[in-house]
Amino acid sequence: MQQKDAMLPALCTPPGAKPLPFACTRFPALENAVPGAAKGQRVPGGEEVRLVFSHQTAVNTVALGEIGANCVSFSLYGEDANGQRQLLYQSDGIGRMLYCVFDTVQVCALVLTVRGEAGRAVHLRFLQAYCLHRGAKKDFRVTVYYPLDTGSNYFSSRTDDPDLLRDLDLITDVVLIGGVRFLKNGQLQYDEKTLTRELAALRQIIGGRPVRIWYCILNPPSTSGRGRLSNRDSVFAIRRHLGTLIENIVSFCEKYDFCGIDFDWEFPYLPHIWQLHGKLLVELKKALLPRGRLLSAAFAPWNIWLQPAAKESLDFVNVMAYDWPKNKRRYHAEFYSCHVFSAAYFLKKNFPKKKLLLGVPFYGNTCDRKKLAQRDYSGFDVRDAWQNTGVFDGRPYYFNSCAMIRSKAAYTRDFGFGGVMVWCGMGDRARASGLSLFEALKTGLDLSSD
């Protein structure tokens, strides 16, 4: 499912940014190509696209896109006055739009080489270069989910973990998930001992950092025993015990002093269930607001039937911009077909941009849709910052490389969204590995000097 061309300019050109002028003698059609252009330029495999600047120029971002999806690899180089080249970015595809972010370099030219599937030409739609000044942005959120199931000791076993301490220098919001459910009678079910111990450990680790803690409440479990949520019991609870449910949620939030409550209902599916979900959100917001507590929800980019009042009740929306393999290669978290598409979907549904936290995955998903499986990014053999694919037990997986996470983070910030969301904080590699996704996220937001 792709967005129409009319949407491309707003989603592919950073607001207020001016592209750097360049000459492209071999492929002149690319000199003035913009995201909405339909013509573009066919580039045979192995050919170099040279973007020549009139003088030495600072560059740190390149946006490009193709018509179709023939590109199976590309490399972008910076070239100095002596003809020396430096690799700036590479990936295993372009798609309708890719935002390539790298350290600022002074170059006289950019050189792009592409390789198409089965030797076919790559039809470039547009190519633009920028030098964007980022720096700290105080209202930008970095929200990270951490599963906290019964018996978990994740935080209590890591009170001196230097990587977790460093991660919390970047994270603004922690969302705990997995150990608390509401039941059909409106009561909450959770392991108080685990929650009390792990929450105390988390707060000890956070120390004086301005990190907010949320709890994501899940629906009643399905009797199928497959880890699914029960829509039937959820509907019953809201229809018959809404007042009790809201009272219990508010009491829970205040007892443990959470900054807010999050919901991850996967999935309401039908309009009447969405209506009840919206009713729960609206009434809960009324109860949380006087107590200074916030409300958010996690949604996927499909099948949302949420009434305006319910949308307004949410302080933030955690956009699950992954597990959406609507592209030629069935990759679950590509740049345009997932990240940009998800952003466009929620904007089209009239969610305010500042409320949207675009999700990035710290895990890989199989490309085989018949036998789905997920694996933490840390569980793959990763050799460099460009690698988006791996193999485990003989099966191919797709994940987001450091370069992809950096680009998604910068895109989210540059285009004015409220923040990024990570699922989940436990899947990263060690910071010292040089292949940490948290480090890539930090670099993409350019917070290294804070």
Side-chain angles (χ1 to χ4, degrees), residues 279-299:
K279 183 178 182 179
L280 170 61
L281 295 175
V282 169
E283 296 304 316
L284 182 56
K285 179 63 176 180
K286 291 178 182 178
L288 291 172
L289 186 60
R291 296 166 171 83
R293 313 291 174 171
L294 302 175
L295 181 63
S296 66
F299 294 132

Side-chain angles (χ1 to χ4, degrees), residues 154-155 157-168 205:
Y154 183 81
F155 295 114
S157 65
R158 290 171 171 79
T159 54
D160 296 318
D161 182 347
D163 278 348
L164 182 55
L165 290 167
R166 192 171 176 184
D167 296 342
L168 288 166
I205 298 167

Side-chain angles (χ1 to χ4, degrees), residues 61-302:
T61 306
V62 169
L64 67 161
E66 65 172 314
I67 296 174
N70 286 335
C71 181
V72 294
S73 69
F74 77 90
S75 298
L76 179 69
Y77 300 90
E79 189 174 274
D80 64 19
N82 298 318
Q84 297 295 312
R85 292 184 179 181
Q86 174 187 354
L87 178 64
L88 303 178
Y89 203 98
Q90 65 182 25
S91 190
D92 51 6
I94 296 174
R96 292 168 66 86
M97 190 267 191
L98 183 60
Y99 202 61
C100 305
V101 177
F102 42 87
D103 292 344
T104 302
V105 292
Q106 297 285 337
V107 298
C108 293
L110 294 173
V111 180
L112 176 71
T113 63
V114 296
R115 184 168 67 89
E117 185 178 28
R120 291 198 293 258
V122 174
H123 195 168
L124 291 180
R125 181 189 298 266
F126 71 96
L127 204 163
Q128 295 178 333
Y130 301 91
C131 186
L132 300 178
H133 301 282
R134 295 185 172 98
K137 193 174 185 181
K138 294 182 179 179
D139 60 347
F140 191 88
R141 293 188 177 231
V142 178
T143 295
V144 181
Y145 280 86
Y146 286 92
L148 187 63
D149 295 315
T150 298
S152 171
N153 67 345
Y154 183 81
F155 295 114
S156 57
S157 65
R158 290 171 171 79
T159 54
D160 296 318
D161 182 347
D163 278 348
L164 182 55
L165 290 167
R166 192 171 176 184
D167 296 342
L168 288 166
D169 289 335
L170 172 67
I171 296 169
T172 63
D173 297 77
V174 167
V175 183
L176 303 177
I177 182 174
V180 180
R181 297 178 180 273
F182 71 85
L183 304 178
K184 64 183 297 184
N185 61 3
Q187 301 300 316
L188 297 186
Q189 181 185 67
Y190 63 96
D191 177 1
E192 185 172 3
K193 181 179 179 181
T194 297
L195 177 55
T196 301
R197 181 186 65 246
E198 294 305 296
L199 189 56
L202 173 59
R203 287 190 164 126
Q204 177 186 337
I205 298 167
I206 289 173
R209 298 174 180 83
V211 178
R212 294 168 286 261
I213 305 176
W214 303 63
Y215 212 105
C216 180
I217 296 178
L218 299 178
N219 306 63
S222 171
T223 56
S224 69
R226 299 176 183 175
R228 296 178 180 175
L229 306 180
S230 172
N231 276 340
R232 178 176 295 181
D233 287 354
S234 301
V235 166
F236 186 90
I238 296 170
R239 282 180 172 168
R240 301 291 184 88
H241 302 288
L242 181 58
T244 300
L245 177 57
I246 289 176
E247 182 180 346
N248 285 327
I249 292 175
V250 172
S251 296
F252 170 78
C253 188
E254 293 198 308
K255 177 180 179 179
Y256 293 102
D257 196 21
F258 294 117
C259 88
I261 294 296
D262 182 61
F263 279 97
D264 180 15
W265 186 335
E266 300 186 18
F267 296 94
Y269 289 115
L270 300 174
H272 77 279
I273 302 179
W274 274 105
Q275 185 177 21
L276 288 170
H277 186 22
K279 183 178 182 179
L280 170 61
L281 295 175
V282 169
E283 296 304 316
L284 182 56
K285 179 63 176 180
K286 291 178 182 178
L288 291 172
L289 186 60
R291 296 166 171 83
R293 313 291 174 171
L294 302 175
L295 181 63
S296 66
F299 294 132
W302 56 275

Side-chain angles (χ1 to χ4, degrees), residues 301-368:
W302 56 275
N303 201 31
I304 291 181
W305 291 315
L306 206 62
Q307 57 267 47
K311 295 176 186 177
E312 293 172 8
S313 72
L314 294 169
D315 295 290
F316 298 100
V317 175
N318 294 307
V319 178
M320 294 185 282
Y322 36 72
D323 295 342
W324 184 247
K326 301 296 183 178
N327 52 70
K328 184 177 181 180
R329 292 178 291 185
R330 312 292 288 177
Y331 287 172
H332 83 104
E334 280 194 334
F335 193 90
Y336 180 87
S337 64
C338 195
H339 200 74
V340 178
F341 171 85
S342 297
Y345 179 86
F346 282 88
L347 292 176
K348 190 175 181 179
K349 288 290 184 177
N350 296 316
F351 286 90
K353 183 181 281 191
K354 288 295 184 182
K355 287 188 177 184
L356 298 179
L357 312 182
L358 302 186
V360 295
F362 278 24
Y363 66 92
N365 210 339
T366 54
C367 304
D368 180 0

